[in-house]
Short mmCIF file of all heavy atoms in Angstrom, two decimals:
data_model
loop_
_atom_site.label_atom_id
_atom_site.label_comp_id
_atom_site.label_asym_id
_atom_site.label_seq_id
_atom_site.Cartn_x
_atom_site.Cartn_y
_atom_site.Cartn_z
N ARG D 80 -22.64 9.17 12.42
CA ARG D 80 -24.06 9.08 12.10
C ARG D 80 -24.85 10.26 12.62
O ARG D 80 -24.44 10.95 13.53
CB ARG D 80 -24.64 7.82 12.74
CG ARG D 80 -24.08 6.60 12.14
CD ARG D 80 -24.53 5.39 12.88
NE ARG D 80 -24.09 4.24 12.12
CZ ARG D 80 -24.82 3.72 11.14
NH1 ARG D 80 -25.99 4.20 10.86
NH2 ARG D 80 -24.35 2.70 10.46
N ASN D 82 -27.97 9.69 13.82
CA ASN D 82 -28.46 9.11 15.06
C ASN D 82 -27.41 8.17 15.62
O ASN D 82 -26.83 7.39 14.87
CB ASN D 82 -29.74 8.31 14.82
CG ASN D 82 -30.86 9.21 14.37
OD1 ASN D 82 -31.08 10.27 14.96
ND2 ASN D 82 -31.53 8.83 13.30
N LYS D 116 -31.13 4.80 24.84
CA LYS D 116 -32.43 4.14 24.82
C LYS D 116 -32.31 2.61 24.68
O LYS D 116 -33.29 1.89 24.76
CB LYS D 116 -33.28 4.71 23.69
CG LYS D 116 -32.69 4.48 22.31
CD LYS D 116 -33.61 5.02 21.23
CE LYS D 116 -33.19 4.70 19.81
NZ LYS D 116 -31.91 4.08 19.53
N ASN D 130 -11.67 -11.89 16.66
CA ASN D 130 -12.72 -11.54 15.72
C ASN D 130 -13.83 -12.53 15.93
O ASN D 130 -13.73 -13.68 15.54
CB ASN D 130 -12.17 -11.63 14.29
CG ASN D 130 -13.19 -11.21 13.25
OD1 ASN D 130 -14.39 -11.14 13.53
ND2 ASN D 130 -12.72 -10.92 12.06
N ASP D 132 -18.30 -13.33 16.41
CA ASP D 132 -19.64 -12.93 16.04
C ASP D 132 -20.38 -12.48 17.29
O ASP D 132 -20.89 -13.31 18.05
CB ASP D 132 -20.33 -14.12 15.36
CG ASP D 132 -21.75 -13.78 14.93
OD1 ASP D 132 -22.18 -12.64 15.18
OD2 ASP D 132 -22.41 -14.66 14.37
N GLY D 134 -23.12 -11.07 17.33
CA GLY D 134 -24.54 -11.36 17.14
C GLY D 134 -24.93 -12.66 17.83
O GLY D 134 -25.95 -12.76 18.50
N CYS D 150 -17.91 -13.73 28.33
CA CYS D 150 -17.15 -14.63 27.46
C CYS D 150 -16.00 -15.24 28.27
O CYS D 150 -15.48 -14.62 29.19
CB CYS D 150 -16.58 -13.88 26.28
SG CYS D 150 -17.86 -13.30 25.17
N TYR D 156 -3.92 -18.84 32.51
CA TYR D 156 -4.49 -17.60 33.02
C TYR D 156 -3.60 -16.43 32.61
O TYR D 156 -2.37 -16.50 32.74
CB TYR D 156 -4.58 -17.62 34.55
CG TYR D 156 -5.49 -18.70 35.09
CD1 TYR D 156 -5.05 -19.58 36.08
CD2 TYR D 156 -6.80 -18.83 34.62
CE1 TYR D 156 -5.88 -20.56 36.58
CE2 TYR D 156 -7.64 -19.81 35.12
CZ TYR D 156 -7.17 -20.68 36.11
OH TYR D 156 -7.99 -21.64 36.59
N ASN D 197 -28.25 -6.62 30.86
CA ASN D 197 -29.37 -5.72 30.65
C ASN D 197 -28.95 -4.36 31.19
O ASN D 197 -28.36 -4.26 32.26
CB ASN D 197 -30.60 -6.22 31.39
CG ASN D 197 -31.05 -7.56 30.83
OD1 ASN D 197 -30.21 -8.37 30.41
ND2 ASN D 197 -32.33 -7.79 30.82
N LEU D 200 -29.96 -3.47 34.73
CA LEU D 200 -29.15 -4.11 35.76
C LEU D 200 -27.84 -3.34 35.95
O LEU D 200 -27.41 -3.09 37.09
CB LEU D 200 -28.85 -5.57 35.36
CG LEU D 200 -27.88 -6.32 36.26
CD1 LEU D 200 -28.43 -6.45 37.68
CD2 LEU D 200 -27.58 -7.71 35.70
N ILE D 212 -21.60 0.41 47.99
CA ILE D 212 -21.62 -1.03 48.25
C ILE D 212 -20.53 -1.75 47.46
O ILE D 212 -19.87 -2.66 47.94
CB ILE D 212 -23.00 -1.61 47.91
CG1 ILE D 212 -24.03 -0.95 48.82
CG2 ILE D 212 -23.02 -3.12 48.11
CD1 ILE D 212 -25.45 -1.23 48.42
N ASP D 219 -16.76 -7.49 43.53
CA ASP D 219 -17.98 -7.10 44.23
C ASP D 219 -19.25 -7.36 43.43
O ASP D 219 -20.27 -7.71 43.98
CB ASP D 219 -17.91 -5.62 44.63
CG ASP D 219 -16.80 -5.38 45.63
OD1 ASP D 219 -16.62 -6.23 46.51
OD2 ASP D 219 -16.09 -4.38 45.50
N THR D 273 -10.37 -0.14 10.08
CA THR D 273 -9.39 0.72 10.72
C THR D 273 -9.31 2.02 9.95
O THR D 273 -9.91 2.16 8.88
CB THR D 273 -8.02 0.02 10.82
OG1 THR D 273 -7.16 0.80 11.64
CG2 THR D 273 -7.38 -0.15 9.44
N VAL D 275 -8.16 4.73 7.47
CA VAL D 275 -7.57 4.59 6.14
C VAL D 275 -6.48 5.65 5.96
O VAL D 275 -6.67 6.79 6.33
CB VAL D 275 -8.65 4.75 5.06
CG1 VAL D 275 -8.05 4.69 3.67
CG2 VAL D 275 -9.70 3.67 5.21
N ASP D 277 -4.45 5.85 2.89
CA ASP D 277 -4.16 6.14 1.49
C ASP D 277 -2.67 6.07 1.14
O ASP D 277 -2.14 6.94 0.46
CB ASP D 277 -4.74 7.50 1.08
CG ASP D 277 -6.25 7.46 1.01
OD1 ASP D 277 -6.76 6.84 0.07
OD2 ASP D 277 -6.90 8.01 1.91
N ASN D 291 7.79 -15.05 4.66
CA ASN D 291 6.90 -15.27 5.79
C ASN D 291 6.67 -13.99 6.58
O ASN D 291 6.91 -13.93 7.77
CB ASN D 291 7.50 -16.37 6.70
CG ASN D 291 6.49 -16.81 7.75
OD1 ASN D 291 5.28 -16.85 7.48
ND2 ASN D 291 6.97 -17.12 8.94
N ALA D 319 19.94 -4.23 4.55
CA ALA D 319 19.42 -4.35 5.91
C ALA D 319 18.72 -5.69 6.09
O ALA D 319 18.17 -6.25 5.13
CB ALA D 319 18.47 -3.21 6.22
#
Side-chain angles (χ1 to χ4, degrees):
Chain D
R80 294 173 172 273
N82 295 314
K116 62 177 187 352
N130 183 343
D132 180 359
C150 293
Y156 298 129
N197 296 34
L200 173 62
I212 299 169
D219 296 320
T273 190
V275 177
D277 289 288
N291 190 34

